[in-house]
Amino acid sequence: RDISAQVRSEDALHDITAHVQAQVVKQAAEVVESEARLRTILSNLDGMACRWRHDGQRHILFASDGCRALLGVEPDTLGSANSLVDTWVHIEDRARVLDIWESMDQRVNWEHDYRIVARNGEIRWIHERLCLVHAREGTLVCVDAMLTDITAKREMYRALTLANHTLEESLVAVFWMDRSEESRVGKE
């Protein structure tokens, strides 16, 4: 009995298996490299990136390590975006944030500012950028969010506004003093 055809088939199968294994190893290495790049990018962001499922609970699928600095908690403790609002968003801003999130289906991207209360009790201003992720058929499936701490920027704006107001009051006072001096000199 001639088994050469069977041997050739086994050799071909072995070659195919070796090729597939090599491709799997190569793709796995590319995935690891890609994840390392993504991790580096996310660790250098000034803020927190997260993705949540667009469902009733808004289950958080991913949260970057930036939530440690922003909120003072570990990423895996967040649970859902709904609990994020209930726990961290300033009580005076909660309804507005939820209204925006509820109406997200109507737009592709959103940007808005609101306050949070960090774990240590500190109130911080957040700029949130939301990007909606749709399935091929157009259904909204996920929301990507980038939360950036803009507290220093808001405080600077407030200080500049106060300084501008003080300057305006000073100029008005100088104007009236000058007018008063003109009036006094005119009477002499």
Side-chain angles (χ1 to χ4, degrees), residues 1-150:
R1 174 180 130 165
D2 185 13
I3 61 166
S4 59
Q6 184 179 354
V7 169
R8 282 193 301 274
S9 294
E10 287 177 6
D11 287 345
L13 185 58
H14 177 67
D15 290 345
I16 292 170
T17 302
H19 177 73
V20 168
Q21 287 175 341
Q23 288 297 319
V24 167
V25 168
K26 179 182 174 191
Q27 288 176 350
E30 289 171 357
V31 167
V32 168
E33 183 180 329
S34 178
E35 286 177 351
R37 279 194 307 267
L38 182 59
R39 226 180 319 337
T40 299
I41 290 168
L42 289 173
S43 68
N44 287 310
L45 287 177
D46 184 28
M48 171 183 152
C50 66
R51 171 177 274 201
W52 68 78
R53 188 176 300 125
H54 184 70
D55 58 14
Q57 291 300 308
R58 296 185 181 96
H59 178 74
I60 293 178
L61 303 170
F62 168 81
S64 71
D65 292 341
C67 74
R68 287 187 193 106
L70 196 62
L71 302 173
V73 296
E74 293 299 315
D76 58 354
T77 63
L78 294 179
S80 74
N82 287 349
S83 66
L84 187 72
V85 170
D86 293 340
T87 306
W88 306 107
V89 174
H90 192 282
I91 193 161
E92 294 174 14
D93 297 338
R94 286 181 191 162
R96 185 173 48 82
V97 169
L98 287 172
D99 285 346
I100 288 171
W101 287 5
E102 290 300 322
S103 61
M104 280 191 303
D105 286 340
Q106 301 164 11
R107 291 181 52 184
V108 176
N109 297 315
W110 283 91
E111 291 190 38
H112 62 123
D113 299 342
Y114 58 90
R115 292 165 291 176
I116 62 165
V117 181
R119 185 177 191 175
N120 64 5
E122 181 182 349
I123 295 175
R124 296 182 185 158
W125 277 95
I126 299 300
H127 178 76
E128 182 175 60
R129 294 181 67 202
L130 303 169
C131 180
L132 309 183
V133 181
H134 294 87
R136 291 181 198 261
E137 71 276 357
T139 307
L140 178 59
V141 290
C142 292
V143 177
D144 289 337
M146 180 63 203
L147 289 74
T148 306
D149 187 345
I150 59 166

Side-chain angles (χ1 to χ4, degrees), residues 119-188:
R119 185 177 191 175
N120 64 5
E122 181 182 349
I123 295 175
R124 296 182 185 158
W125 277 95
I126 299 300
H127 178 76
E128 182 175 60
R129 294 181 67 202
L130 303 169
C131 180
L132 309 183
V133 181
H134 294 87
R136 291 181 198 261
E137 71 276 357
T139 307
L140 178 59
V141 290
C142 292
V143 177
D144 289 337
M146 180 63 203
L147 289 74
T148 306
D149 187 345
I150 59 166
T151 305
K153 183 178 175 182
R154 294 286 292 223
E155 289 172 355
M156 186 184 328
Y157 178 77
R158 197 177 109 236
L160 285 172
T161 302
L162 180 62
N164 187 47
H165 179 70
T166 303
L167 180 61
E168 286 175 356
E169 287 180 344
S170 298
L171 289 174
V172 168
V174 167
F175 172 76
W176 285 111
M177 284 175 46
D178 190 44
R179 298 275 309 219
S180 173
E181 182 66 23
E182 286 177 12
S183 176
R184 188 184 61 75
V185 169
K187 290 180 183 177
E188 291 177 359

